[in-house]
Amino acid sequence: EAAVTQSPRSKVAVTGGKVTLSCHQTNNHDYMYWYRQDTGHGLRLIHYSYVADSTEKGDIPDGYKASRPSQENFSLILELASLSQTAVYFCASSDELRSQNTLYFGAGTRLSVL
Amino acid sequence: QQKVQQSPESLIVPEGGMASLNCTSSDRNVDYFWWYRQHSGKSPKMLMSIFSNGEKEEGRFTVHLNKASLHTSLHIRDSQPSDSALYLCAASMNYGSSGNKLIFGIGTLLSVKP
C-alpha cells in the first residue's frame, strides 16, 4: 500500500505567523502535490514537483512557497499566514500521469488561522 | 474559470437507484480523466480512470469518455448508502517542460437515501 504521511494533522496558527506543513512519501514516486480543499471549491492545486530540488506553481500559488529537498519530502510554507488560508491541505504523490497511475493522498492537515 | 466543470453540484438518489454524474474540461491540454471518491472526513481515493473513447465498467460503476468533447460521465447503478460521498473528477494536463498536473473539479456530493 502506497504511503503518504502528513504532519501535523491539525494546526492553529496566528495571522502573520509562519506555518510549515510537511509531507513524506515512501512510494518512490517522482511527482508530489499540495492541494487545498475548501467547501464549494473541490481540490485546488497550490504547488507541485516532479523532481527533487525543483517545484512548479499550480493554480493558486500566491501566499505559498514549496520545497522539495529530496524525492521523499515535500513541504508547504506559509510565510505570513492569513485568515483566508484556513482550509484542509492534502499532499499527494504519483508516478508520471501517463497511464493507470493514480494519486495517493495523505490524510490531510486541517489548518485554522486565527 | 474552472478548467474542470462538474454537474450537478449535489444529487440525491434512492437506494437501488441510478446516479449519473458529469464532467467536462475546457482545456485542450487534457491528457486523461480520473474519478475520485471522498467520504466525509477522509482523503480522496481513486475510483476509476478512463483514457480511451468509449465505456469502462467495474461492478456497479460505469465510466464514459468522449475525447473530442472532453466529456466524461460516471454512472452508479443499484446505489447504496455507502456510495454517499463527494465525487471528484480530475483531468491531467501536460504543459511540456512543467510536467503533468492534475486538476480537480468542484465535485458532486451524492447522497443515497435508504
Side-chain angles (χ1 to χ4, degrees):
Chain A
E1 176 78 11
V4 179
T5 305
Q6 292 183 231
S7 61
R9 289 295 313 279
S10 66
K11 183 170 181 64
V12 178
V14 296
T15 304
K18 182 177 181 178
V19 176
T20 300
L21 306 183
S22 299
C23 180
H24 177 80
Q25 56 111 349
T26 58
N27 307 322
N28 199 33
H29 287 159
D30 287 330
Y31 280 77
M32 295 188 75
Y33 311 81
W34 277 106
Y35 290 90
R36 68 175 278 175
Q37 187 169 38
D38 305 90
T39 303
H41 287 279
L43 290 166
R44 292 186 288 173
L45 182 63
I46 306 170
H47 286 287
Y48 66 105
S49 168
Y50 57 90
V51 67
D53 294 323
S54 178
T55 63
E56 303 289 337
K57 293 181 179 179
D59 291 336
I60 53 164
D62 293 346
Y64 302 94
K65 290 172 57 177
S67 174
R68 182 94 182 268
S70 64
Q71 188 193 41
E72 298 81 15
N73 296 294
F74 192 36
S75 298
L76 185 69
I77 303 140
L78 291 66
E79 294 278 5
L80 295 169
S82 66
L83 293 172
S84 64
Q85 293 176 313
T86 293
V88 178
Y89 291 84
F90 286 101
C91 176
S93 75
S94 75
D95 283 322
E96 187 176 6
L97 296 170
R98 283 294 181 190
S99 60
Q100 300 288 333
N101 296 325
T102 182
L103 257 63
Y104 293 91
F105 283 88
T109 295
R110 185 172 297 275
L111 175 65
S112 297
V113 183
L114 306 177
Chain B
Q1 183 194 3
Q2 281 276 114
K3 292 183 180 178
V4 176
Q5 297 93 37
Q6 291 187 246
S7 64
E9 288 190 11
S10 62
L11 181 63
I12 300 174
V13 299
E15 184 174 356
M18 171 76 84
S20 295
L21 291 67
N22 295 291
C23 174
T24 302
S25 178
S26 57
D27 194 321
R28 285 286 161 188
N29 290 300
V30 167
D31 287 320
Y32 307 108
F33 284 97
W34 284 261
W35 286 93
Y36 282 74
R37 183 168 66 180
Q38 184 180 23
H39 286 105
S40 180
K42 303 293 186 182
S43 57
K45 285 186 168 49
M46 199 271 285
L47 183 63
M48 291 185 72
S49 58
I50 187 162
F51 309 109
S52 304
N53 269 330
E55 178 180 301
K56 180 178 177 180
E57 183 177 331
E58 291 181 1
R60 298 183 292 108
F61 299 86
T62 302
V63 174
H64 295 267
L65 175 62
N66 180 326
K67 294 191 82 170
S69 60
L70 296 178
H71 177 264
T72 179
S73 57
L74 172 68
H75 305 273
I76 308 171
R77 61 177 173 82
D78 189 23
S79 297
Q80 302 297 309
S82 59
D83 294 328
S84 297
L86 182 67
Y87 288 79
L88 296 159
C89 175
S92 65
M93 299 178 188
N94 188 341
Y95 291 98
S97 60
S98 296
N100 291 86
K101 60 180 185 179
L102 195 64
I103 304 298
F104 286 82
I106 288 176
T108 293
L109 186 61
L110 174 65
S111 295
V112 181
K113 299 298 185 185

